[in-house]
């Protein structure tokens, strides 16, 4: 797996849209979802740790 230890925490900007159809586009909704994730999840040092933290985060939402 790639080493992501030097990765800087990034918040993505999303494009301006004019229609509800545009709001449903991946390019619009994905950055919104990413930006709402907790900082410790977004700053996971490796892909495996990101997956583990994401799974824990989603289970906590579903079952708490």
């Amino acid at each position: 797996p790639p080493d992501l230890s030097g990765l800087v925490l990034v918040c993505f900007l999303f494009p301006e849209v004019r229609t509800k159809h545009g709001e449903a586009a991946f390019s619009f909704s994905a950055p919104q979802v990413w930006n709402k994730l907790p900082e410790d999840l977004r700053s996971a040092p490796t892909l495996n740790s990101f997956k583990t933290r994401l799974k824990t985060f989603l289970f906590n939402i579903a079952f708490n």
Side-chain angles (χ1 to χ4, degrees):
D3 178 19
L4 304 176
S5 60
L7 192 64
V8 175
L9 185 62
V10 175
C11 283
F12 289 101
L13 300 175
F14 42 96
E16 192 173 318
V17 295
R18 297 185 184 121
T19 64
K20 290 290 181 186
H21 184 71
E23 289 179 2
F26 181 81
S27 60
F28 180 81
S29 59
Q32 287 187 322
V33 172
W34 175 262
N35 291 343
K36 290 179 184 178
L37 292 175
E39 185 176 330
D40 69 312
L41 177 56
R42 290 184 286 148
S43 63
T46 65
L47 180 58
N48 282 338
S49 64
F50 174 78
K51 290 178 186 179
T52 300
R53 292 176 188 186
L54 178 61
K55 184 177 177 181
T56 302
F57 175 72
L58 294 174
F59 269 95
N60 285 335
I61 289 174
F63 299 112
N64 286 336

